[in-house]
Amino acid sequence: MPPTSTVTGDEATAGEYSNLVSDDGNYFLTTKTGNTGNHTYQSFNFKVTQSTKSITSFVITHNGHATRRTDDLADTYYFYIWNYTSVSYQLLTTASANLNDQTTEITLTGNNTDLKDGSGNVYILVEGDHINGGGTNAKSQIYTDLMQLDVY
């Protein structure tokens, strides 16, 4: 389950940002360890300068994968976008568990006025399925090689 409000977390460093802009095998990595009872996530805040009326679609592209447990098994992960009208994250799609990178492309067309606030913020959340527990269940990771939002 996604959080009930937009999540910002710690901002990426310059080096981490450079790992997100191309599909080159350099990862932005988020790791959660310990018996936290939480999902691992990555939150992305894109600034969109186009007026809402001129936007016909958003295209989200992600390349990466997720792991669970201390023995790094493949994990399913989810893509959400923040909806400012419903004040909640809206599930976009699910990526299957795979230890190899996979590219997920999501196209949102039509009325996207609910997905951008007055300051141009668009929040996208990538969340692993695994909930950290104890013992061998005490680890989860998301590897992102590319995260991109194109606006048309």
Side-chain angles (χ1 to χ4, degrees):
M1 296 297 297
T4 56
S5 63
T6 56
V7 180
T8 55
D10 296 325
E11 185 165 0
T13 65
E16 290 169 331
Y17 273 120
S18 70
N19 290 348
L20 292 167
V21 297
S22 64
D23 182 1
D24 59 4
N26 294 311
Y27 295 102
F28 174 63
L29 174 64
T30 301
T31 302
K32 290 259 192 221
T33 58
N35 188 357
T36 63
N38 296 319
H39 296 272
T40 298
Y41 68 86
Q42 292 178 343
S43 177
F44 300 94
N45 178 16
F46 291 93
K47 292 286 188 182
V48 175
T49 57
Q50 294 92 325
S51 73
T52 303
K53 291 181 182 181
S54 69
I55 297 171
T56 59
S57 65
F58 290 123
V59 178
I60 301 162
T61 305
H62 177 271
N63 181 269
H65 64 279
T67 61
R68 61 185 171 85
R69 298 175 41 105
T70 56
D71 47 356
D72 294 327
L73 301 175
D75 194 20
T76 301
Y77 53 103
Y78 306 95
F79 294 88
Y80 298 90
I81 194 164
W82 184 256
N83 184 307
Y84 287 92
T85 300
S86 66
V87 192
S88 64
Y89 278 103
Q90 169 185 327
L91 178 64
L92 299 174
T93 194
T94 303
S96 60
N98 195 323
L99 287 177
N100 297 313
D101 285 350
Q102 51 193 347
T103 299
T104 304
E105 185 174 286
I106 304 159
T107 301
L108 304 170
T109 59
N111 184 359
N112 292 311
T113 58
D114 300 340
L115 307 180
K116 177 175 127 7
D117 72 3
S119 299
N121 295 301
V122 174
Y123 282 95
I124 299 168
L125 185 75
V126 180
E127 183 179 62
D129 184 55
H130 180 70
I131 298 174
N132 279 19
T136 59
N137 285 312
K139 179 181 170 190
S140 55
Q141 296 179 296
I142 298 176
Y143 296 78
T144 296
D145 190 17
L146 170 72
M147 185 61 175
Q148 180 175 310
L149 175 65
D150 292 308
V151 181
Y152 300 97

